[in-house]
Amino acid sequence: MTDNQQEREHGARGDKADQTTEPYDSAVQRALVEAQQQILQFLQHRLGDHDAADEVLQRFSLRALEKASQLHDVRMVRGWLGRILATTIVDHQRETAKRRRREIVIDQTEVENHPVDEELDAAICNCLYRILPTLKAEYADIIWRADILGEPRDRLAASLGTSLNNVTVRLHRGRQALRKRLEEMCRTCPVHGFLDCHCEKAEQFRKAFAEAKAKSAP
């Protein structure tokens, strides 16, 4: 059996197995909540205000969900999430300054290209570190090595004893699984728990996301 045939057969078994694990087990739920809490703690430290941190986290999650379909390749997920978080913080600070009637001028290009500092990057990395173990082990391993550590694909293929094409297929499937987890994380309440939370903030978020999704629909 060729590498491609083996990968297709394994993928089919994996897809079926994934379907039988719903609803999510407690370990996955806990990891997604902890990932959200990691970003919330960073925001509380950065902004020095609990309510402001909650607001920015909600905006960040909404933006990430809105833009998830644009992320065709998750190789840059770390930088992608970092830029969304950085620009969300900048936008919040700009709006806060306006509310205080301060004169402030920020070039939109500067906002979009706002640099990701080390502290923010560490928060994103810790978030991903909690999410990756919720994927199948082979997916988590290859994404960590290829996309986070930047290990070349030919070296990955050699160390795994498989073909370059097999590595490419596995990466593609792993990135699809990671994208799904990121979307689930963004819909998770960091205070009350997983996707079925019905607190006021969670309901407000669902409403805002539904409205944004309706606007972006063709």
Side-chain angles (χ1 to χ4, degrees), residues 36-55:
Q36 277 278 45
Q37 290 173 338
Q38 183 70 43
I39 296 177
L40 180 60
Q41 290 169 6
F42 160 75
L43 289 171
Q44 290 171 345
H45 174 73
R46 173 61 60 90
L47 300 174
D49 183 280
H50 183 83
D51 291 337
D54 284 342
E55 180 181 344

Side-chain angles (χ1 to χ4, degrees), residues 4-188:
N4 284 342
Q5 289 173 324
Q6 289 177 336
E7 189 66 24
R8 282 196 296 270
E9 182 179 336
H10 180 78
R13 290 198 302 268
D15 293 341
K16 184 177 181 180
D18 287 344
Q19 293 172 3
T20 60
T21 59
E22 304 289 351
Y24 298 93
D25 63 39
S26 59
V28 171
Q29 294 183 26
R30 184 169 59 253
L32 294 177
V33 172
E34 288 175 352
Q36 277 278 45
Q37 290 173 338
Q38 183 70 43
I39 296 177
L40 180 60
Q41 290 169 6
F42 160 75
L43 289 171
Q44 290 171 345
H45 174 73
R46 173 61 60 90
L47 300 174
D49 183 280
H50 183 83
D51 291 337
D54 284 342
E55 180 181 344
V56 172
L57 176 63
Q58 180 170 329
R59 289 189 183 186
F60 162 74
S61 298
L62 183 60
R63 288 184 181 183
L65 280 170
E66 289 174 339
K67 296 176 181 292
S69 62
Q70 302 171 9
L71 191 62
H72 301 297
D73 190 338
V74 189
R75 279 181 301 178
M76 302 304 293
V77 64
R78 176 177 168 184
W80 178 77
L81 283 173
R83 285 190 298 275
I84 292 176
L85 184 56
T87 55
T88 303
I89 292 171
V90 169
D91 286 345
H92 168 77
Q93 292 173 332
R94 178 175 58 179
E95 291 172 7
T96 299
K98 284 184 177 180
R99 285 197 296 268
R100 293 173 179 171
R101 293 182 167 57
R102 293 177 180 171
E103 290 292 328
I104 183 167
V105 178
I106 298 180
D107 187 346
Q108 187 60 32
T109 303
E110 179 184 345
V111 172
E112 294 297 331
N113 298 304
H114 191 74
V116 177
D117 57 63
E118 291 185 5
E119 186 181 15
L120 191 152
D121 184 56
I124 294 296
C125 281
N126 287 333
C127 166
L128 292 173
Y129 185 75
R130 284 167 169 76
I131 293 177
L132 281 178
T134 70
L135 307 181
K136 289 196 290 189
E138 63 186 271
Y139 291 165
D141 178 64
I142 203 164
I143 288 175
W144 180 261
R145 293 172 64 181
D147 295 346
I148 307 300
L149 301 181
E151 189 171 341
R153 293 189 189 187
D154 55 350
R155 189 185 303 169
L156 277 170
S159 68
L160 294 171
T162 188
S163 68
L164 186 60
N165 185 63
N166 191 303
V167 167
T168 300
V169 170
R170 195 176 300 180
L171 266 174
H172 174 70
R173 289 177 176 162
R175 289 165 180 164
Q176 286 182 319
L178 177 58
R179 185 182 296 114
K180 178 183 176 183
R181 282 287 187 261
L182 288 171
E183 291 176 349
E184 291 163 352
M185 182 202 75
C186 289
R187 298 200 307 270
T188 296

Side-chain angles (χ1 to χ4, degrees), residues 185-200:
M185 182 202 75
C186 289
R187 298 200 307 270
T188 296
C189 174
V191 177
H192 303 107
F194 199 48
L195 304 173
D196 57 352
C197 178
H198 293 286
C199 70
E200 183 179 356

